[in-house]
Amino acid sequence: MKKRISVIGAGECGPDVEAVAHRLGTLIAQNGFDLLCGGRMGVQRAACRGAKEAGGFTIGLLPGLDFTQANEFVDVPVVTGLGHMRNFLVVKNGAAAVAVEGGAGTLSEIGLAMKSGIPVVAIGRWSGVDGVRAARDADEAMDIVLSLVGR
Amino acid sequence: MKKRISVIGAGECGPDVEAVAHRLGTLIAQNGFDLLCGGRMGVQRAACRGAKEAGGFTIGLLPGLDFTQANEFVDVPVVTGLGHMRNFLVVKNGAAAVAVEGGAGTLSEIGLAMKSGIPVVAIGRWSGVDGVRAARDADEAMDIVLSLVGR
Amino acid sequence: MKKRISVIGAGECGPDVEAVAHRLGTLIAQNGFDLLCGGRMGVQRAACRGAKEAGGFTIGLLPGLDFTQANEFVDVPVVTGLGHMRNFLVVKNGAAAVAVEGGAGTLSEIGLAMKSGIPVVAIGRWSGVDGVRAARDADEAMDIVLSLVGR
Amino acid sequence: MKKRISVIGAGECGPDVEAVAHRLGTLIAQNGFDLLCGGRMGVQRAACRGAKEAGGFTIGLLPGLDFTQANEFVDVPVVTGLGHMRNFLVVKNGAAAVAVEGGAGTLSEIGLAMKSGIPVVAIGRWSGVDGVRAARDADEAMDIVLSLVGR
């Protein structure tokens, strides 16, 4: 089983944030990781797109029970019916998590990751949270991930 | 996304039941479906093995948080930490479920499937349960699945 | 903490089944147990009503996130957002479960209970399921419960 | 149904933090609320104790499946088997949440609460998180709670 990196972040975002997420997805694939996320829009979709364009593999753990919630760049969608509780599974199914901006849902994923021993790197909004490793951009985030979990 | 067939059944079983599960996995792959299961041993492992040997693809939704619980024929293991509640996800992530023998856990999956609109075919022990479609063997089970969900 | 008896069964039912559930709720309270259920309608509501009229205490574990789903005889409603997965919690939070008729959801609860070591008594439809103790009516069900878990 | 206030915070803590949690539990009961928490130790136990000594009522949503995990001041323990996912239920079953210090688990509860529309007041460590209302002590936290959800 390949190692997986979880991408978390804003469900809705502008082109600047999308570009960061896309770059992150590209790097995840290029470094030989599978990408894991919540399977939906915004940062999740941009990261999946980046991974797929670089030949990677993507898994999306959806909050509801409807497969059509998945964005078109998810290879393996899994419905959970857990609502916000699926946030735990998004981080726990990866070896490390990278947050790109995001709101309260992303904050919950950061807390759940740290609580269950998954290291967290954050770009933007939540990078100052106690226990989180801050990165300026996707490339630095990937460097930190590689230093934490290897290839 | 390919349609998925969920395989449920005994976590421990003898060679006769294993052979049925293996044949079922083979047929699932040969008919172009992905195989979904609880990712562990017995019927689940034999079915995954059959699917992999026939060139198929397998997803395992594990009850705990430990990836090493997955059998070696699972392509995409997902940890859920839900214990027996993950039984719901095993059936809900497929288009139909096929039970091969099994105990109370399998019975719960049959109930959860039927409750949430997933048709169930059963070989052996639970084939007489009200609402379940009975099959004598893996080949008949696959014929019924095909009649229910198409390819 | 008082011992709890879980009541499971049809979410919609006629007056005959309601009468059985009501009697069962009465007996649960009179024998000093708390009543635990899914908190909703049909058998659940009738049993809660019976328990409250006999001075008992009732807990309802709701499938959604909306407290107004609870029937008016639930003392402590708990929202779970787990959908059908909450069926596991309904049986696991009791010392024994009694089924009064019911459909596939009730069958799933029976399977989940037996899988996790909770004894099940059934009146009506599911009383012939392998591993379930059959009772003709609420009084016999309570006698069996008392023989299984004591007071 | 009485309104409930969720108390979240450190699972292990010293006497100063315990005193804050105890005072908070007292105020919750004196203001006519039920207290909801994760049912375990540290801040949870101290708050439950404060509530019970003031004549209040306490509900504990436990992470595992073992009732003996509950502290002795919990009136209604509910086992969830959800591990860290039960954090969502702890906040979602209340009208507002008050955090007293705490680590990553508490941070996850803060994120889950805000994501699902539950207002959060924090004393100590997490009071500076974006979106959280800061309070210096239990009395100020209760004043804020009252201004947010009424009696």
Side-chain angles (χ1 to χ4, degrees):
Chain A
M1 173 183 155
K2 280 191 187 177
K3 281 184 187 164
R4 299 163 178 171
I5 305 302
S6 301
V7 177
I8 57 181
E12 293 177 39
C13 62
D16 288 2
V17 174
E18 255 183 31
V20 174
H22 185 278
R23 174 72 182 153
L24 180 62
T26 302
L27 290 166
I28 286 171
Q30 288 177 345
N31 282 281
F33 298 112
D34 289 342
L35 186 150
L36 200 139
C37 70
R40 300 203 66 193
M41 306 309 286
V43 161
Q44 302 165 63
R45 182 175 177 278
C48 285
R49 182 177 191 164
K52 290 308 298 173
E53 289 173 1
F57 183 77
T58 60
I59 301 167
L61 305 182
L62 297 162
L65 293 173
D66 178 3
F67 287 105
T68 67
Q69 289 186 321
N71 73 63
E72 66 270 43
F73 303 105
V74 172
D75 289 315
V76 177
V78 174
V79 294
T80 71
L82 290 166
H84 301 310
M85 289 181 276
R86 81 78 157 80
N87 291 2
F88 173 69
L89 301 187
V90 170
V91 295
K92 193 63 181 171
N93 273 281
V98 182
V100 183
E101 301 291 345
T106 304
L107 181 65
S108 76
E109 290 170 317
I110 290 170
L112 290 163
M114 295 194 299
K115 182 66 181 176
S116 54
I118 307 294
V120 181
V121 183
I123 304 166
R125 185 168 178 201
W126 300 117
S127 57
V129 169
D130 191 5
V132 168
R133 286 154 178 92
R136 275 156 310 189
D137 55 27
D139 288 78
E140 189 183 12
M142 181 51 53
D143 288 345
I144 300 173
V145 165
L146 286 168
S147 74
L148 289 169
V149 304
R151 267 209 177 74
Chain B
M1 171 184 155
K2 280 193 187 177
K3 281 183 188 164
R4 299 164 179 172
I5 306 302
S6 301
V7 177
I8 57 181
E12 294 178 39
C13 62
D16 288 2
V17 173
E18 257 184 29
V20 174
H22 185 277
R23 173 73 182 151
L24 181 62
T26 303
L27 290 167
I28 286 171
Q30 288 177 344
N31 282 281
F33 298 111
D34 288 344
L35 187 151
L36 199 138
C37 69
R40 302 203 64 193
M41 306 308 286
V43 160
Q44 303 164 62
R45 182 174 177 278
C48 286
R49 183 175 189 166
K52 290 309 298 173
E53 290 174 1
F57 184 77
T58 60
I59 302 166
L61 306 182
L62 297 162
L65 293 173
D66 178 1
F67 287 105
T68 68
Q69 289 187 320
N71 71 65
E72 65 270 41
F73 303 106
V74 171
D75 290 315
V76 177
V78 175
V79 295
T80 71
L82 290 166
H84 301 310
M85 289 181 275
R86 81 79 157 79
N87 290 4
F88 174 69
L89 301 187
V90 171
V91 294
K92 193 62 180 172
N93 274 281
V98 182
V100 182
E101 299 292 345
T106 304
L107 182 65
S108 77
E109 290 169 317
I110 290 170
L112 290 163
M114 295 195 298
K115 182 66 181 178
S116 55
I118 307 293
V120 181
V121 182
I123 303 166
R125 184 169 180 201
W126 301 116
S127 57
V129 169
D130 192 5
V132 169
R133 286 155 179 93
R136 275 158 309 190
D137 55 27
D139 288 78
E140 189 183 12
M142 182 50 54
D143 288 344
I144 299 173
V145 165
L146 287 168
S147 74
L148 290 169
V149 305
R151 267 208 178 72
Chain C
M1 172 183 154
K2 280 191 187 178
K3 282 185 187 161
R4 298 162 178 173
I5 306 303
S6 301
V7 176
I8 57 181
E12 293 179 38
C13 63
D16 288 3
V17 173
E18 255 183 32
V20 174
H22 185 277
R23 173 72 181 153
L24 181 62
T26 302
L27 290 166
I28 287 171
Q30 287 177 346
N31 282 281
F33 298 112
D34 288 343
L35 187 151
L36 199 138
C37 70
R40 301 203 65 193
M41 306 307 287
V43 161
Q44 302 164 65
R45 182 175 178 278
C48 285
R49 182 175 189 166
K52 289 309 297 174
E53 290 174 1
F57 183 77
T58 61
I59 301 167
L61 305 183
L62 297 162
L65 293 174
D66 178 2
F67 288 105
T68 67
Q69 290 187 320
N71 72 64
E72 65 269 43
F73 303 105
V74 172
D75 289 317
V76 177
V78 174
V79 295
T80 70
L82 290 165
H84 300 311
M85 289 181 276
R86 81 79 156 80
N87 290 4
F88 174 69
L89 301 187
V90 171
V91 294
K92 194 62 180 171
N93 274 282
V98 182
V100 182
E101 302 290 346
T106 304
L107 182 64
S108 76
E109 290 169 317
I110 290 170
L112 290 163
M114 294 195 298
K115 183 66 179 175
S116 55
I118 306 294
V120 181
V121 182
I123 302 166
R125 185 169 179 199
W126 301 117
S127 56
V129 169
D130 192 5
V132 169
R133 286 156 179 93
R136 276 158 307 190
D137 55 26
D139 288 77
E140 190 183 12
M142 182 50 54
D143 287 345
I144 299 173
V145 165
L146 287 168
S147 73
L148 290 169
V149 305
R151 268 208 178 75
Chain D
M1 172 183 154
K2 279 191 187 178
K3 281 185 188 163
R4 299 164 178 170
I5 305 303
S6 301
V7 176
I8 57 181
E12 293 178 38
C13 63
D16 288 2
V17 173
E18 254 183 32
V20 174
H22 186 277
R23 173 73 181 152
L24 180 62
T26 303
L27 290 166
I28 286 171
Q30 288 177 345
N31 282 280
F33 297 111
D34 287 344
L35 186 152
L36 200 137
C37 70
R40 299 202 67 191
M41 305 309 286
V43 160
Q44 302 164 64
R45 181 175 178 278
C48 286
R49 182 176 190 164
K52 290 308 298 174
E53 290 174 0
F57 184 78
T58 61
I59 302 167
L61 305 182
L62 297 162
L65 292 173
D66 179 2
F67 287 105
T68 67
Q69 289 186 321
N71 71 64
E72 66 270 41
F73 303 105
V74 172
D75 289 315
V76 178
V78 175
V79 294
T80 71
L82 291 164
H84 301 310
M85 290 181 275
R86 79 80 155 80
N87 290 3
F88 173 68
L89 300 187
V90 170
V91 294
K92 193 62 180 172
N93 273 282
V98 182
V100 182
E101 300 293 342
T106 304
L107 182 65
S108 77
E109 290 170 317
I110 290 169
L112 290 163
M114 294 195 299
K115 182 65 179 177
S116 54
I118 307 293
V120 181
V121 182
I123 302 166
R125 186 170 178 200
W126 300 117
S127 58
V129 169
D130 192 5
V132 169
R133 286 156 180 92
R136 275 157 309 190
D137 55 26
D139 289 78
E140 188 182 14
M142 182 51 53
D143 287 344
I144 299 173
V145 165
L146 287 168
S147 73
L148 289 169
V149 305
R151 269 209 178 73

